[in-house]
Amino acid sequence: MSGRMIEGVYVGWDNIRECFSLDPSVSHLNHGSFGAVPIVVQRAQQRLRDEMEANPLRFFTQGLVDRIAHTRRHLATFLGADPDDTALVGNATTGAAVVLQSLALGPGDEVVTTDHGYGAVGLSVERECARTGAVSRTLPVPLTATDEEVVEIVRAGLRPGRTRLLIVDQITSPTARLFPTAAIVGVAREHGIPVLVDAAHAPGMLPTTVASVGADFWVGNLHKWAYAPRGTAALVVAEPWRERIQPLVVSWEQGSGYPTRLEWQGTLDYTGWLAAPVGLFTLRSLGVDRVRAHNAALAAYGQRVVGDALGVAPADLPEPGGPTVAMRLVPLPPGVATTMDAARELRARIADRLSVEVSIAAWNGRGYLRLCGQVYNTPDEYDRLAVRLPTLLARA
């Protein structure tokens, strides 16, 4: 199918990479870390910045709160969330920090996570526990655990009366695994334990709605798989908790209640939020289901060819657990990238020597390569990595 333009957005796959500003000399196989903002979205944000700079006083004082609320309603509808439960925040880690500091933890309380959690969220948990006297406890979950086994591990790890918050990932960052979050929320609810779902990668990638997950707190980035400008995320808080949620920094809308008091941060650059609906328009123009299927299939192809090149048996390639998950893991040879520092060094070498951007994670003493699939990627990019990566690793 040949590509064509509709209101500045390509429909069809021909020349789709021209919709992005990505360096054509680099294979960008790590969309999950920072995303890639389509040019049409960049331009929409720049128009908003031009408006802001033309008259800053007018921009910030005449209707901006209402414009943010309108954007929030648009994004919440896409996510399948109640707009009244939804607040815009900078990213998933910020949303998690907001929830943690709003719970009034104290000595004897505990926050439970899994060993698949995002590192920065884990650091936020550690800081809040150190500040309040609460404790953090991590549940080990094998990479090969079935959904039923994951649920039972969580069930066994909860301590009613002590566990004040359970944090689980909808799609895990280091291990690219889809967790059965709705079932986990159900188990926690049996004991009256609130759940925060870190859904950093869910918006745009998964068809699951926020309402169907049923968590007390849910936070997801729209700047990864929903083509929004960076710094755009949604925190969804169930109604019973809303008035307890406080911003990390108090500003002039403190008296307005949730969600406005959380969103308003003075001279924050709000143009990314206001341009986010253009990202959703781009996704819908390309076809949401088509993009999801394409990205997941491409990531699976990359996992297969790179895994084969590294001598990984097909049975040892981790399954993501869902048909639209567009991130896949390839285990690296034993002894490679087994620490965070070594993982960073290997990622940099792959970028510098192979002109390929990937994610390398050290998880439970083993190094893993994480590959993503996105509309601007093509199979030959994974083929080239498969040919060249074994030689680079052999020279390490």
Side-chain angles (χ1 to χ4, degrees):
M1 177 183 293
S2 61
R4 62 193 187 280
M5 295 287 289
I6 298 179
E7 297 185 24
V9 177
Y10 274 102
V11 176
W13 301 119
D14 292 1
N15 304 316
I16 190 67
R17 188 152 180 160
E18 294 178 10
C19 290
F20 298 84
S21 301
L22 297 166
D23 183 348
S25 69
V26 176
S27 291
H28 300 271
L29 307 183
N30 186 21
H31 185 89
S33 284
F34 297 103
V37 184
I39 292 172
V40 66
V41 182
Q42 296 177 43
R43 290 174 177 169
Q45 184 178 15
Q46 188 57 53
R47 288 193 294 270
L48 288 160
R49 283 178 170 152
D50 291 343
E51 176 191 348
M52 176 174 63
E53 297 305 335
N55 192 332
L57 190 64
R58 179 187 295 272
F59 182 85
F60 281 96
T61 63
Q62 295 189 22
L64 181 55
V65 171
D66 291 338
R67 293 172 76 176
I68 294 170
H70 177 75
T71 299
R72 179 203 316 133
R73 288 191 292 271
H74 189 108
L75 300 182
T77 299
F78 172 77
L79 295 171
D82 184 339
D84 292 335
D85 291 345
T86 306
L88 300 182
V89 293
N91 54 39
T93 306
T94 299
V98 166
V99 171
L100 284 164
Q101 63 91 39
S102 297
L103 290 180
L105 297 172
D109 295 334
E110 67 176 17
V111 178
V112 175
T113 61
T114 79
D115 58 354
H116 294 250
Y118 185 58
V121 172
L123 292 173
S124 188
V125 171
E126 291 178 9
R127 186 187 70 171
E128 193 63 19
C129 287
R131 188 180 71 84
T132 62
V135 297
S136 171
R137 192 158 52 84
T138 301
L139 304 179
V141 177
L143 189 59
T144 57
T146 65
D147 285 356
E148 293 76 13
E149 289 169 340
V150 172
V151 171
E152 290 309 311
I153 288 169
V154 172
R155 187 193 302 274
L158 298 177
R159 297 175 181 174
R162 292 191 60 185
T163 304
R164 289 286 309 283
L165 182 68
L166 169 65
I167 302 177
V168 293
D169 294 60
Q170 195 160 358
I171 302 175
T172 63
S173 179
T175 56
R177 169 70 191 271
L178 178 66
F179 269 8
T181 46
I184 291 171
V185 169
V187 166
R189 183 167 288 124
E190 294 173 4
H191 302 290
I193 296 171
V195 181
L196 165 61
V197 172
D198 181 350
H201 291 274
M205 187 197 293
L206 298 183
T208 310
T209 64
V210 174
S212 68
V213 175
D216 303 86
F217 314 100
W218 181 101
V219 62
N221 295 322
L222 287 105
H223 55 245
K224 291 181 183 286
W225 302 93
Y227 299 147
R230 293 176 194 86
T232 305
L235 172 64
V236 183
V237 177
E239 193 277 333
W241 293 95
R242 290 197 315 226
E243 290 311 307
R244 295 179 60 176
I245 296 297
Q246 295 292 331
L248 299 176
V249 179
V250 173
S251 196
W252 283 108
E253 292 293 335
Q254 179 67 13
S256 299
Y258 181 90
T260 305
R261 69 174 169 221
L262 200 63
E263 294 170 334
W264 188 258
Q265 293 294 303
T267 52
L268 184 73
D269 184 351
Y270 300 97
T271 60
W273 295 357
L274 299 180
V278 181
L280 298 186
F281 172 77
T282 304
L283 180 59
R284 290 185 176 115
S285 296
L286 293 171
V288 179
D289 291 339
R290 186 182 181 196
V291 168
R292 287 171 175 157
H294 169 274
N295 292 349
L298 201 54
Y301 175 83
Q303 181 193 44
R304 186 167 60 253
V305 297
V306 174
D308 184 62
L310 296 180
V312 181
D316 293 330
L317 293 173
E319 288 289 331
T324 64
V325 177
M327 303 192 299
R328 294 278 187 139
L329 284 192
V330 178
L332 293 171
V336 175
T338 58
T339 67
M340 185 177 295
D341 287 343
R344 289 170 177 162
E345 191 274 335
L346 178 58
R347 186 204 64 78
R349 280 200 296 125
I350 292 173
D352 292 342
R353 300 184 187 181
L354 306 185
S355 294
V356 179
E357 295 291 355
V358 296
S359 174
I360 304 292
W363 188 77
N364 286 357
R366 182 74 186 266
Y368 291 90
L369 168 72
R370 192 189 73 187
L371 295 171
C372 299
Q374 188 47 258
V375 295
Y376 51 73
N377 293 130
T378 56
D380 63 283
E381 293 180 287
Y382 306 90
D383 293 337
R384 289 196 298 269
L385 177 62
V387 169
R388 302 176 65 191
L389 182 60
T391 301
L392 183 144
L393 295 179
R395 292 174 179 172

